[in-house]
Amino acid sequence: MLHGRKILLIVSGSVAAFKALMLVRLLRAEGATVRAVLTAGGARFVTKESLAAITGEAVQDDLWAAEAEIGHIRLARWADVVVVAPASANRLAQMAQGLAEDLAGCILLATRAPVLVAPAMNPAMWAHPATRANIATLAAHGLHFIGPEDGPMAEPESGPGRLSEPAAMLFAIRTLLASGPLSGKHALVTSGPTHEPIDPVRYIANRSSGKQGHAIAAALAALGARVTLVSGPVALADPPGVRVLRVETAREMLAACEAALPAEIAIFAAAVADWRVAREAGQKLKKQPGTEAPMLNMALNPDILATISTHAQRPKLVVGFAAETEHVLEHARQKLARKACDWIVANDVSGDVMGGAENAVHLVTAEGAEDWPRMPKEEVAARLSARIVEFFA
Ligand code: C5P
């Protein structure tokens, strides 16, 4: 599947670097050529010799030696994809700063290929605001991420920080290099609920799990689309090979969607809160003995679907979702017109759809409505994606 593809693997300093060796084996088994660059930190955990033996290629670890031999620009241009695995906290910081003080840094600045980053570090380092800020910067630069996973660390600790498994990294690389029917197209997908703050500790939310939206993002990526997933707070892993922008409120979601344009495809699967609390309290609202419960003054949230449907950079195909508890089709048809979108995926959420694994939907277009049988959300995603391929064919 990766036959003839050229993969440049940057191994930075983490105890998880041994998994990079396993990844090389999987990549080569699929016919890819892998060249490795070892950072000074990486060389503390795996040797140049083991990487050379496993890649079957000379390993670069010195900016100046590489300069003399092939040059970092040529190495950067050679790659169909650059993979940083593991990416240490320090490497992420260097990348976010655009530092070019070693060979890996130069390559990461010079490459025009997609870059997949697989972070690995202690959970506290991953949670640190400095790391969070670096990740946000790199995501805004268009880098792709996989992991880290939640689980036991080398130290007797547990939490998010484990390098993704080699098979998961392989899948993400395949997705990035996919030459499917949607390759060259950018798809924007929203997913999950929004959280609308009441005060610093309370918020208004809904029961959306994000399963349907995340499945759609994964399905579009598997067909070769470049996917930006704007997600509210969910307890789901990022779909491999997808750029994920995390937001909390509807207003943040709209800003992220507008910043992600232009796109050819936009799918609004998020359950966006229609209202927010007009004025978020700066301090926690206190329960005063003998006083009434507070009244919450609500304000209307922006309608993201309607905004993007009428945007100067409107995507060619705009798909909305309609979660209804009654008159499902009738409301969906009205929504199609009111929101100026091309299709509506309507579902009856009076049962266990929200948070559940399956969905029974109707696809409503200008031509009419189709009833799809109840099926897993992944299958809804695959069918919808197949329709999108037909639309562009
Ligand atoms: O009007 P209603 O909320 O039922 O419309 C649902 C569709 O509109 C979904 O696609 C949802 O993602 C989108 N929507 C939105 N912004 C809102 C409310 C809904 O994009 N503020």
Side-chain angles (χ1 to χ4, degrees):
M1 195 164 171
L2 290 173
H3 196 79
R5 306 315 292 263
K6 301 187 285 282
I7 293 157
L8 186 61
L9 175 66
I10 295 173
V11 180
S12 74
S14 155
V15 65
F18 70 92
K19 287 190 192 167
L21 299 175
M22 293 154 73
L23 173 63
V24 173
R25 298 196 68 151
L26 297 179
L27 291 167
R28 292 194 68 200
E30 293 209 1
T33 305
V34 185
R35 284 189 181 165
V37 168
L38 192 57
T39 72
R44 298 280 183 162
F45 295 94
V46 291
T47 66
K48 195 172 171 177
E49 287 71 22
S50 50
L51 262 177
I54 287 207
T55 57
E57 302 276 339
V59 173
Q60 310 298 329
D61 61 355
D62 181 346
L63 177 58
W64 308 108
E67 216 43 276
E69 250 181 75
I70 40 174
H72 65 268
I73 301 290
R74 250 202 290 161
L75 202 49
R77 294 290 148 74
W78 168 84
D80 293 325
V81 61
V82 177
V83 181
V84 189
S88 65
N90 184 56
R91 179 54 53 182
L92 293 177
Q94 289 174 312
M95 289 166 71
Q97 293 277 311
L99 294 185
E101 57 196 1
D102 63 2
L103 180 60
C106 290
I107 288 170
L108 285 161
L109 283 185
T111 191
R112 296 183 184 131
V115 177
L116 177 70
V117 182
M121 67 199 70
N122 174 274
M125 294 169 83
W126 175 248
H128 195 283
T131 305
R132 314 275 15 104
N134 290 335
I135 294 285
T137 301
L138 294 170
H141 293 171
L143 273 67
H144 302 269
F145 288 89
I146 176 163
E149 309 298 326
D150 208 319
M153 310 298 296
E155 313 86 67
E157 275 184 50
S158 188
R162 280 170 64 86
L163 181 65
S164 290
E165 291 306 314
M169 293 193 275
L170 172 71
F171 184 84
I173 293 165
R174 276 203 210 127
T175 306
L176 271 183
L177 291 173
S179 46
L182 295 178
S183 71
K185 295 206 163 42
H186 179 209
L188 169 66
V189 181
T190 70
S191 184
T194 62
H195 285 184
E196 308 295 335
I198 297 170
D199 66 18
V201 298
R202 303 182 178 96
Y203 57 83
I204 296 173
N206 59 65
R207 294 187 195 282
S208 168
S209 64
K211 280 180 195 154
Q212 187 62 80
H214 276 56
I216 291 168
L220 292 172
L223 291 170
R226 187 165 61 81
V227 181
T228 301
L229 175 63
V230 181
S231 176
V234 295
L236 297 174
D238 291 350
V242 166
R243 178 168 78 122
V244 183
L245 307 178
R246 291 181 191 78
V247 297
E248 292 212 345
T249 66
R251 287 182 292 175
E252 288 168 8
M253 188 172 271
L254 174 60
C257 287
E258 288 192 291
L261 294 177
E264 284 75 24
I265 305 161
I267 317 245
F268 295 95
V272 184
D274 292 316
W275 310 284
R276 65 175 184 277
V277 177
R279 204 165 301 128
E280 179 189 349
Q283 304 295 332
K284 186 184 167 200
L285 297 176
K286 300 298 282 181
K287 184 173 62 179
Q288 307 286 11
T291 60
E292 300 278 307
M295 293 285 289
L296 291 180
N297 235 324
M298 307 294 276
L300 211 54
N301 262 336
D303 191 311
I304 302 167
L305 169 60
T307 306
I308 302 293
S309 280
T310 53
H311 200 277
Q313 289 183 291
R314 185 195 197 273
K316 227 184 167 84
L317 178 66
V318 178
V319 183
F321 271 65
E324 304 288 351
T325 52
E326 56 181 358
H327 309 301
V328 177
L329 277 182
E330 194 187 315
H331 286 164
R333 286 200 192 93
Q334 291 164 1
K335 208 160 282 180
L336 194 66
R338 196 172 66 238
K339 304 223 183 188
C341 56
D342 301 296
W343 302 350
I344 286 275
V345 180
N347 52 359
D348 187 338
V349 291
S350 49
D352 57 356
V353 161
M354 275 208 163
E358 295 193 330
N359 209 349
V361 307
H362 314 268
L363 181 65
V364 182
T365 69
E367 282 81 52
E370 286 170 30
D371 304 328
W372 292 3
R374 190 180 172 89
M375 59 181 98
K377 287 180 176 173
E378 289 78 11
E379 240 175 278
V380 173
R383 268 215 193 191
L384 185 66
S385 303
R387 293 297 296 264
I388 292 170
V389 170
E390 275 174 32
F391 174 89
F392 282 99

